[in-house]
Amino acid sequence: MIGRFIEKAGWPRIIIALFLLGLFIAAPFVGVRVDTSLSNTLVRFGMNGVMVLAMIPMVQAGCGLNFGLPLGIIAGLLGATLSIEWNVEILAKLVAWGSQYQITWLTQEFVDTWREPLGFASAVIIAVPIAAVLGWFYGKLLNRVKGDEMMIATYVGFSSVSFMCIAWLLLPYKHPSMVWGFAGRGLRTTISVEGYWLHVLSDALSVNIGDHLYIPTGMLIFFAVMALAVWIFMRTKTGTAITAVGSNPEFARASGVNVDKMRTISVVMSTVLGAIGIIVYEQSFGFIQLYMGPFYMALPAVASILLGGASVNKASILNVIVGTFLFQGILTMTPSVINSYLQTDMSEVIRLIVSNGMILYALTRKVRA
């Protein structure tokens, strides 16, 4: 039984898990609180989980690892910024609808009480159709370059971020908390979500054990709901067809499956999940990061699912959970333990080395596989 587990998990993944466990064991001996470190790991897991989940549909459809994830993230950033831009108008319309259609509970008092959840929901609602449209075009492009999907996806991710660096300066936003004050136009590099949906998921049903252990229950539940939705979808007729296309496209085509359509659906789904994922990330992080921000989000998500045991042709919810926890756990624990042991602040250097090292390991190992 142990041998079967080792064979299935693989020694590299077991070694990484043991390394993370060793960091937690060593933490108290160098003055790092285990409960605080565990809290930080859980928070980072919840922040990044949905973006890693966005890898599954495209992998299952045979489109490879989604290096074009920044396209979905851009849709999420558009939804977030437009939600803030239209915040007052959206809330006012809700109150007006409540009065017009005699919805007794939809009052100004209700809107004020639920302002942050409504802001988060509006960001998601705006982002999803944008992501669906972008994903549809992205899917059509990938259908024309079968066999080179990951190379083209990398180009799409890079070029879309570069294009939006110009667009963020030119789009006609006017909200004073978002635009550059000296120019009156063009969005800032970072935009605070405080007062809009800061920690709206993280603090929902959150649990505090003692003074240092914090469990972001709402964010973890949201991830669980999204993971369950993906799991259920992949077991529907459409989801089964997507998996068949990824496993053997010729057999799927002979069975009457529209291969290109299934691939496009998977790309749309991945793009939508990426858009939702970045909004979840923002509500916990506290800021919307524009310009080059989306460019640095794809590789950690790819590395996480690969560390969890996925391949370029097959991925599961378990791969997402294991990989995200391992990646974020090591990224959280390594700088803290080493800094405390060396009595110096090298956190940023160590974080870059560890994160890029895990990304490099994950990608090179899967290429050889």
PDB file of all heavy atoms in Angstrom, residues 26-60:
ATOM      1  N   ALA A  26      10.392  23.087  12.165  1.00  0.00           N
ATOM      2  CA  ALA A  26      11.533  23.928  12.548  1.00  0.00           C
ATOM      3  C   ALA A  26      11.110  25.321  12.999  1.00  0.00           C
ATOM      4  O   ALA A  26      11.861  25.976  13.741  1.00  0.00           O
ATOM      5  CB  ALA A  26      12.498  24.039  11.363  1.00  0.00           C
ATOM      6  N   ALA A  27       9.928  25.758  12.577  1.00  0.00           N
ATOM      7  CA  ALA A  27       9.496  27.133  12.846  1.00  0.00           C
ATOM      8  C   ALA A  27       9.592  27.545  14.318  1.00  0.00           C
ATOM      9  O   ALA A  27      10.168  28.589  14.639  1.00  0.00           O
ATOM     10  CB  ALA A  27       8.086  27.337  12.310  1.00  0.00           C
ATOM     11  N   PRO A  28       9.048  26.766  15.256  1.00  0.00           N
ATOM     12  CA  PRO A  28       9.104  27.200  16.668  1.00  0.00           C
ATOM     13  C   PRO A  28      10.528  27.337  17.200  1.00  0.00           C
ATOM     14  O   PRO A  28      10.778  28.159  18.082  1.00  0.00           O
ATOM     15  CB  PRO A  28       8.354  26.088  17.417  1.00  0.00           C
ATOM     16  CG  PRO A  28       7.643  25.297  16.400  1.00  0.00           C
ATOM     17  CD  PRO A  28       8.347  25.489  15.108  1.00  0.00           C
ATOM     18  N   PHE A  29      11.452  26.554  16.675  1.00  0.00           N
ATOM     19  CA  PHE A  29      12.828  26.572  17.177  1.00  0.00           C
ATOM     20  C   PHE A  29      13.599  27.811  16.735  1.00  0.00           C
ATOM     21  O   PHE A  29      14.653  28.124  17.289  1.00  0.00           O
ATOM     22  CB  PHE A  29      13.562  25.306  16.716  1.00  0.00           C
ATOM     23  CG  PHE A  29      12.981  24.041  17.270  1.00  0.00           C
ATOM     24  CD1 PHE A  29      12.134  23.260  16.501  1.00  0.00           C
ATOM     25  CD2 PHE A  29      13.254  23.640  18.575  1.00  0.00           C
ATOM     26  CE1 PHE A  29      11.579  22.090  17.005  1.00  0.00           C
ATOM     27  CE2 PHE A  29      12.709  22.468  19.092  1.00  0.00           C
ATOM     28  CZ  PHE A  29      11.865  21.694  18.312  1.00  0.00           C
ATOM     29  N   VAL A  30      13.084  28.517  15.711  1.00  0.00           N
ATOM     30  CA  VAL A  30      13.753  29.746  15.274  1.00  0.00           C
ATOM     31  C   VAL A  30      12.886  30.974  15.558  1.00  0.00           C
ATOM     32  O   VAL A  30      13.146  32.064  15.042  1.00  0.00           O
ATOM     33  CB  VAL A  30      14.098  29.674  13.774  1.00  0.00           C
ATOM     34  CG1 VAL A  30      15.123  28.596  13.503  1.00  0.00           C
ATOM     35  CG2 VAL A  30      12.859  29.459  12.918  1.00  0.00           C
ATOM     36  N   GLY A  31      11.841  30.794  16.368  1.00  0.00           N
ATOM     37  CA  GLY A  31      11.012  31.922  16.795  1.00  0.00           C
ATOM     38  C   GLY A  31       9.883  32.288  15.869  1.00  0.00           C
ATOM     39  O   GLY A  31       9.339  33.392  15.951  1.00  0.00           O
ATOM     40  N   VAL A  32       9.504  31.390  14.955  1.00  0.00           N
ATOM     41  CA  VAL A  32       8.380  31.647  14.052  1.00  0.00           C
ATOM     42  C   VAL A  32       7.158  30.917  14.564  1.00  0.00           C
ATOM     43  O   VAL A  32       7.223  29.716  14.839  1.00  0.00           O
ATOM     44  CB  VAL A  32       8.710  31.184  12.610  1.00  0.00           C
ATOM     45  CG1 VAL A  32       7.504  31.357  11.701  1.00  0.00           C
ATOM     46  CG2 VAL A  32       9.898  31.951  12.069  1.00  0.00           C
ATOM     47  N   ARG A  33       6.046  31.622  14.700  1.00  0.00           N
ATOM     48  CA  ARG A  33       4.826  31.008  15.204  1.00  0.00           C
ATOM     49  C   ARG A  33       4.192  30.115  14.134  1.00  0.00           C
ATOM     50  O   ARG A  33       3.951  30.563  13.002  1.00  0.00           O
ATOM     51  CB  ARG A  33       3.823  32.071  15.649  1.00  0.00           C
ATOM     52  CG  ARG A  33       4.264  32.904  16.851  1.00  0.00           C
ATOM     53  CD  ARG A  33       3.089  33.697  17.390  1.00  0.00           C
ATOM     54  NE  ARG A  33       2.043  32.806  17.869  1.00  0.00           N
ATOM     55  CZ  ARG A  33       1.909  32.422  19.139  1.00  0.00           C
ATOM     56  NH1 ARG A  33       2.768  32.833  20.052  1.00  0.00           N
ATOM     57  NH2 ARG A  33       0.912  31.629  19.493  1.00  0.00           N
ATOM     58  N   VAL A  34       3.912  28.883  14.496  1.00  0.00           N
ATOM     59  CA  VAL A  34       3.312  27.935  13.557  1.00  0.00           C
ATOM     60  C   VAL A  34       1.894  28.344  13.212  1.00  0.00           C
ATOM     61  O   VAL A  34       1.466  28.254  12.043  1.00  0.00           O
ATOM     62  CB  VAL A  34       3.334  26.506  14.147  1.00  0.00           C
ATOM     63  CG1 VAL A  34       2.592  25.541  13.224  1.00  0.00           C
ATOM     64  CG2 VAL A  34       4.762  26.037  14.351  1.00  0.00           C
ATOM     65  N   ASP A  35       1.134  28.819  14.216  1.00  0.00           N
ATOM     66  CA  ASP A  35      -0.267  29.179  13.954  1.00  0.00           C
ATOM     67  C   ASP A  35      -0.362  30.368  13.002  1.00  0.00           C
ATOM     68  O   ASP A  35      -1.198  30.389  12.099  1.00  0.00           O
ATOM     69  CB  ASP A  35      -1.023  29.460  15.259  1.00  0.00           C
ATOM     70  CG  ASP A  35      -0.259  30.372  16.211  1.00  0.00           C
ATOM     71  OD1 ASP A  35       0.817  30.872  15.810  1.00  0.00           O
ATOM     72  OD2 ASP A  35      -0.719  30.568  17.349  1.00  0.00           O
ATOM     73  N   THR A  36       0.520  31.351  13.162  1.00  0.00           N
ATOM     74  CA  THR A  36       0.519  32.487  12.244  1.00  0.00           C
ATOM     75  C   THR A  36       0.910  32.054  10.834  1.00  0.00           C
ATOM     76  O   THR A  36       0.303  32.481   9.847  1.00  0.00           O
ATOM     77  CB  THR A  36       1.496  33.576  12.728  1.00  0.00           C
ATOM     78  OG1 THR A  36       1.113  33.998  14.041  1.00  0.00           O
ATOM     79  CG2 THR A  36       1.490  34.772  11.795  1.00  0.00           C
ATOM     80  N   SER A  37       1.915  31.195  10.747  1.00  0.00           N
ATOM     81  CA  SER A  37       2.360  30.705   9.440  1.00  0.00           C
ATOM     82  C   SER A  37       1.271  29.890   8.753  1.00  0.00           C
ATOM     83  O   SER A  37       1.054  30.010   7.548  1.00  0.00           O
ATOM     84  CB  SER A  37       3.623  29.855   9.597  1.00  0.00           C
ATOM     85  OG  SER A  37       4.676  30.602  10.153  1.00  0.00           O
ATOM     86  N   LEU A  38       0.564  29.063   9.532  1.00  0.00           N
ATOM     87  CA  LEU A  38      -0.534  28.272   8.971  1.00  0.00           C
ATOM     88  C   LEU A  38      -1.653  29.190   8.477  1.00  0.00           C
ATOM     89  O   LEU A  38      -2.238  28.959   7.412  1.00  0.00           O
ATOM     90  CB  LEU A  38      -1.066  27.295  10.018  1.00  0.00           C
ATOM     91  CG  LEU A  38      -2.206  26.379   9.572  1.00  0.00           C
ATOM     92  CD1 LEU A  38      -1.793  25.532   8.374  1.00  0.00           C
ATOM     93  CD2 LEU A  38      -2.667  25.482  10.718  1.00  0.00           C
ATOM     94  N   SER A  39      -1.928  30.260   9.246  1.00  0.00           N
ATOM     95  CA  SER A  39      -2.948  31.230   8.823  1.00  0.00           C
ATOM     96  C   SER A  39      -2.573  31.861   7.494  1.00  0.00           C
ATOM     97  O   SER A  39      -3.399  31.963   6.580  1.00  0.00           O
ATOM     98  CB  SER A  39      -3.111  32.325   9.887  1.00  0.00           C
ATOM     99  OG  SER A  39      -3.593  31.799  11.090  1.00  0.00           O
ATOM    100  N   ASN A  40      -1.308  32.283   7.381  1.00  0.00           N
ATOM    101  CA  ASN A  40      -0.844  32.908   6.135  1.00  0.00           C
ATOM    102  C   ASN A  40      -0.929  31.940   4.953  1.00  0.00           C
ATOM    103  O   ASN A  40      -1.290  32.329   3.840  1.00  0.00           O
ATOM    104  CB  ASN A  40       0.593  33.390   6.300  1.00  0.00           C
ATOM    105  CG  ASN A  40       0.710  34.535   7.280  1.00  0.00           C
ATOM    106  OD1 ASN A  40      -0.245  35.266   7.517  1.00  0.00           O
ATOM    107  ND2 ASN A  40       1.886  34.704   7.877  1.00  0.00           N
ATOM    108  N   THR A  41      -0.622  30.673   5.212  1.00  0.00           N
ATOM    109  CA  THR A  41      -0.695  29.667   4.147  1.00  0.00           C
ATOM    110  C   THR A  41      -2.139  29.466   3.697  1.00  0.00           C
ATOM    111  O   THR A  41      -2.421  29.390   2.492  1.00  0.00           O
ATOM    112  CB  THR A  41      -0.109  28.330   4.638  1.00  0.00           C
ATOM    113  OG1 THR A  41       1.261  28.521   5.007  1.00  0.00           O
ATOM    114  CG2 THR A  41      -0.187  27.269   3.544  1.00  0.00           C
ATOM    115  N   LEU A  42      -3.064  29.395   4.651  1.00  0.00           N
ATOM    116  CA  LEU A  42      -4.479  29.214   4.309  1.00  0.00           C
ATOM    117  C   LEU A  42      -5.019  30.414   3.541  1.00  0.00           C
ATOM    118  O   LEU A  42      -5.798  30.255   2.587  1.00  0.00           O
ATOM    119  CB  LEU A  42      -5.299  28.991   5.581  1.00  0.00           C
ATOM    120  CG  LEU A  42      -5.087  27.651   6.287  1.00  0.00           C
ATOM    121  CD1 LEU A  42      -5.853  27.618   7.619  1.00  0.00           C
ATOM    122  CD2 LEU A  42      -5.530  26.481   5.415  1.00  0.00           C
ATOM    123  N   VAL A  43      -4.595  31.609   3.946  1.00  0.00           N
ATOM    124  CA  VAL A  43      -5.045  32.813   3.246  1.00  0.00           C
ATOM    125  C   VAL A  43      -4.534  32.813   1.810  1.00  0.00           C
ATOM    126  O   VAL A  43      -5.287  33.063   0.864  1.00  0.00           O
ATOM    127  CB  VAL A  43      -4.575  34.088   3.986  1.00  0.00           C
ATOM    128  CG1 VAL A  43      -4.782  35.323   3.114  1.00  0.00           C
ATOM    129  CG2 VAL A  43      -5.326  34.248   5.298  1.00  0.00           C
ATOM    130  N   ARG A  44      -3.262  32.504   1.635  1.00  0.00           N
ATOM    131  CA  ARG A  44      -2.689  32.480   0.284  1.00  0.00           C
ATOM    132  C   ARG A  44      -3.293  31.358  -0.556  1.00  0.00           C
ATOM    133  O   ARG A  44      -3.454  31.501  -1.778  1.00  0.00           O
ATOM    134  CB  ARG A  44      -1.168  32.343   0.365  1.00  0.00           C
ATOM    135  CG  ARG A  44      -0.465  33.558   0.969  1.00  0.00           C
ATOM    136  CD  ARG A  44       1.038  33.377   0.972  1.00  0.00           C
ATOM    137  NE  ARG A  44       1.561  33.379  -0.376  1.00  0.00           N
ATOM    138  CZ  ARG A  44       1.971  34.470  -1.031  1.00  0.00           C
ATOM    139  NH1 ARG A  44       1.926  35.647  -0.434  1.00  0.00           N
ATOM    140  NH2 ARG A  44       2.437  34.383  -2.258  1.00  0.00           N
ATOM    141  N   PHE A  45      -3.622  30.249   0.082  1.00  0.00           N
ATOM    142  CA  PHE A  45      -4.302  29.158  -0.628  1.00  0.00           C
ATOM    143  C   PHE A  45      -5.647  29.644  -1.163  1.00  0.00           C
ATOM    144  O   PHE A  45      -5.975  29.429  -2.342  1.00  0.00           O
ATOM    145  CB  PHE A  45      -4.512  27.971   0.314  1.00  0.00           C
ATOM    146  CG  PHE A  45      -5.334  26.859  -0.285  1.00  0.00           C
ATOM    147  CD1 PHE A  45      -4.733  25.852  -1.021  1.00  0.00           C
ATOM    148  CD2 PHE A  45      -6.714  26.822  -0.112  1.00  0.00           C
ATOM    149  CE1 PHE A  45      -5.490  24.832  -1.586  1.00  0.00           C
ATOM    150  CE2 PHE A  45      -7.478  25.807  -0.668  1.00  0.00           C
ATOM    151  CZ  PHE A  45      -6.867  24.798  -1.399  1.00  0.00           C
ATOM    152  N   GLY A  46      -6.430  30.288  -0.305  1.00  0.00           N
ATOM    153  CA  GLY A  46      -7.735  30.787  -0.727  1.00  0.00           C
ATOM    154  C   GLY A  46      -7.638  31.853  -1.796  1.00  0.00           C
ATOM    155  O   GLY A  46      -8.459  31.914  -2.718  1.00  0.00           O
ATOM    156  N   MET A  47      -6.609  32.715  -1.694  1.00  0.00           N
ATOM    157  CA  MET A  47      -6.420  33.785  -2.667  1.00  0.00           C
ATOM    158  C   MET A  47      -6.139  33.248  -4.067  1.00  0.00           C
ATOM    159  O   MET A  47      -6.624  33.788  -5.067  1.00  0.00           O
ATOM    160  CB  MET A  47      -5.252  34.685  -2.237  1.00  0.00           C
ATOM    161  CG  MET A  47      -5.519  35.572  -1.051  1.00  0.00           C
ATOM    162  SD  MET A  47      -3.992  36.360  -0.460  1.00  0.00           S
ATOM    163  CE  MET A  47      -3.511  37.356  -1.870  1.00  0.00           C
ATOM    164  N   ASN A  48      -5.343  32.200  -4.142  1.00  0.00           N
ATOM    165  CA  ASN A  48      -4.850  31.718  -5.433  1.00  0.00           C
ATOM    166  C   ASN A  48      -5.582  30.493  -5.969  1.00  0.00           C
ATOM    167  O   ASN A  48      -5.381  30.125  -7.127  1.00  0.00           O
ATOM    168  CB  ASN A  48      -3.356  31.386  -5.318  1.00  0.00           C
ATOM    169  CG  ASN A  48      -2.502  32.620  -5.094  1.00  0.00           C
ATOM    170  OD1 ASN A  48      -2.099  33.289  -6.029  1.00  0.00           O
ATOM    171  ND2 ASN A  48      -2.216  32.938  -3.833  1.00  0.00           N
ATOM    172  N   GLY A  49      -6.404  29.854  -5.138  1.00  0.00           N
ATOM    173  CA  GLY A  49      -7.003  28.581  -5.503  1.00  0.00           C
ATOM    174  C   GLY A  49      -7.831  28.600  -6.774  1.00  0.00           C
ATOM    175  O   GLY A  49      -7.712  27.698  -7.617  1.00  0.00           O
ATOM    176  N   VAL A  50      -8.659  29.634  -6.956  1.00  0.00           N
ATOM    177  CA  VAL A  50      -9.551  29.665  -8.119  1.00  0.00           C
ATOM    178  C   VAL A  50      -8.749  29.863  -9.405  1.00  0.00           C
ATOM    179  O   VAL A  50      -9.083  29.299 -10.454  1.00  0.00           O
ATOM    180  CB  VAL A  50     -10.618  30.762  -7.961  1.00  0.00           C
ATOM    181  CG1 VAL A  50     -11.519  30.820  -9.199  1.00  0.00           C
ATOM    182  CG2 VAL A  50     -11.475  30.503  -6.720  1.00  0.00           C
ATOM    183  N   MET A  51      -7.673  30.654  -9.350  1.00  0.00           N
ATOM    184  CA  MET A  51      -6.838  30.835 -10.551  1.00  0.00           C
ATOM    185  C   MET A  51      -6.130  29.545 -10.947  1.00  0.00           C
ATOM    186  O   MET A  51      -5.939  29.267 -12.131  1.00  0.00           O
ATOM    187  CB  MET A  51      -5.829  31.962 -10.317  1.00  0.00           C
ATOM    188  CG  MET A  51      -6.448  33.347 -10.421  1.00  0.00           C
ATOM    189  SD  MET A  51      -5.244  34.678 -10.401  1.00  0.00           S
ATOM    190  CE  MET A  51      -4.786  34.677  -8.661  1.00  0.00           C
ATOM    191  N   VAL A  52      -5.736  28.740  -9.959  1.00  0.00           N
ATOM    192  CA  VAL A  52      -5.145  27.434 -10.286  1.00  0.00           C
ATOM    193  C   VAL A  52      -6.225  26.507 -10.838  1.00  0.00           C
ATOM    194  O   VAL A  52      -5.987  25.739 -11.771  1.00  0.00           O
ATOM    195  CB  VAL A  52      -4.476  26.823  -9.035  1.00  0.00           C
ATOM    196  CG1 VAL A  52      -3.836  25.470  -9.391  1.00  0.00           C
ATOM    197  CG2 VAL A  52      -3.416  27.757  -8.473  1.00  0.00           C
ATOM    198  N   LEU A  53      -7.424  26.613 -10.280  1.00  0.00           N
ATOM    199  CA  LEU A  53      -8.557  25.815 -10.758  1.00  0.00           C
ATOM    200  C   LEU A  53      -8.849  26.092 -12.237  1.00  0.00           C
ATOM    201  O   LEU A  53      -9.333  25.214 -12.961  1.00  0.00           O
ATOM    202  CB  LEU A  53      -9.789  26.139  -9.905  1.00  0.00           C
ATOM    203  CG  LEU A  53     -11.018  25.242 -10.023  1.00  0.00           C
ATOM    204  CD1 LEU A  53     -10.711  23.848  -9.473  1.00  0.00           C
ATOM    205  CD2 LEU A  53     -12.190  25.858  -9.249  1.00  0.00           C
ATOM    206  N   ALA A  54      -8.534  27.316 -12.679  1.00  0.00           N
ATOM    207  CA  ALA A  54      -8.791  27.704 -14.072  1.00  0.00           C
ATOM    208  C   ALA A  54      -7.958  26.894 -15.062  1.00  0.00           C
ATOM    209  O   ALA A  54      -8.248  26.904 -16.269  1.00  0.00           O
ATOM    210  CB  ALA A  54      -8.508  29.195 -14.255  1.00  0.00           C
ATOM    211  N   MET A  55      -6.951  26.185 -14.568  1.00  0.00           N
ATOM    212  CA  MET A  55      -6.119  25.374 -15.462  1.00  0.00           C
ATOM    213  C   MET A  55      -6.836  24.100 -15.935  1.00  0.00           C
ATOM    214  O   MET A  55      -6.549  23.585 -17.019  1.00  0.00           O
ATOM    215  CB  MET A  55      -4.823  24.970 -14.746  1.00  0.00           C
ATOM    216  CG  MET A  55      -3.917  26.121 -14.393  1.00  0.00           C
ATOM    217  SD  MET A  55      -3.142  26.790 -15.871  1.00  0.00           S
ATOM    218  CE  MET A  55      -2.849  28.479 -15.366  1.00  0.00           C
ATOM    219  N   ILE A  56      -7.754  23.577 -15.131  1.00  0.00           N
ATOM    220  CA  ILE A  56      -8.311  22.251 -15.368  1.00  0.00           C
ATOM    221  C   ILE A  56      -9.024  22.113 -16.717  1.00  0.00           C
ATOM    222  O   ILE A  56      -8.724  21.184 -17.480  1.00  0.00           O
ATOM    223  CB  ILE A  56      -9.237  21.827 -14.214  1.00  0.00           C
ATOM    224  CG1 ILE A  56      -8.406  21.542 -12.962  1.00  0.00           C
ATOM    225  CG2 ILE A  56     -10.067  20.597 -14.587  1.00  0.00           C
ATOM    226  CD1 ILE A  56      -9.227  21.086 -11.769  1.00  0.00           C
ATOM    227  N   PRO A  57      -9.986  22.984 -17.075  1.00  0.00           N
ATOM    228  CA  PRO A  57     -10.726  22.740 -18.325  1.00  0.00           C
ATOM    229  C   PRO A  57      -9.837  22.663 -19.558  1.00  0.00           C
ATOM    230  O   PRO A  57     -10.011  21.778 -20.401  1.00  0.00           O
ATOM    231  CB  PRO A  57     -11.687  23.941 -18.390  1.00  0.00           C
ATOM    232  CG  PRO A  57     -11.853  24.379 -16.970  1.00  0.00           C
ATOM    233  CD  PRO A  57     -10.527  24.147 -16.334  1.00  0.00           C
ATOM    234  N   MET A  58      -8.873  23.582 -19.674  1.00  0.00           N
ATOM    235  CA  MET A  58      -8.021  23.579 -20.864  1.00  0.00           C
ATOM    236  C   MET A  58      -7.101  22.367 -20.897  1.00  0.00           C
ATOM    237  O   MET A  58      -6.863  21.796 -21.962  1.00  0.00           O
ATOM    238  CB  MET A  58      -7.209  24.872 -20.942  1.00  0.00           C
ATOM    239  CG  MET A  58      -8.028  26.046 -21.462  1.00  0.00           C
ATOM    240  SD  MET A  58      -7.069  27.565 -21.689  1.00  0.00           S
ATOM    241  CE  MET A  58      -5.849  27.057 -22.884  1.00  0.00           C
ATOM    242  N   VAL A  59      -6.577  21.968 -19.744  1.00  0.00           N
ATOM    243  CA  VAL A  59      -5.734  20.776 -19.697  1.00  0.00           C
ATOM    244  C   VAL A  59      -6.533  19.551 -20.107  1.00  0.00           C
ATOM    245  O   VAL A  59      -6.093  18.732 -20.921  1.00  0.00           O
ATOM    246  CB  VAL A  59      -5.135  20.582 -18.286  1.00  0.00           C
ATOM    247  CG1 VAL A  59      -4.471  19.215 -18.158  1.00  0.00           C
ATOM    248  CG2 VAL A  59      -4.120  21.674 -17.984  1.00  0.00           C
ATOM    249  N   GLN A  60      -7.741  19.420 -19.564  1.00  0.00           N
ATOM    250  CA  GLN A  60      -8.585  18.270 -19.867  1.00  0.00           C
ATOM    251  C   GLN A  60      -8.997  18.226 -21.337  1.00  0.00           C
ATOM    252  O   GLN A  60      -9.246  17.154 -21.881  1.00  0.00           O
ATOM    253  CB  GLN A  60      -9.832  18.280 -18.979  1.00  0.00           C
ATOM    254  CG  GLN A  60      -9.571  17.942 -17.518  1.00  0.00           C
ATOM    255  CD  GLN A  60      -9.113  16.509 -17.331  1.00  0.00           C
ATOM    256  OE1 GLN A  60      -7.922  16.223 -17.265  1.00  0.00           O
ATOM    257  NE2 GLN A  60     -10.061  15.587 -17.241  1.00  0.00           N
TER     258      GLN A  60
END
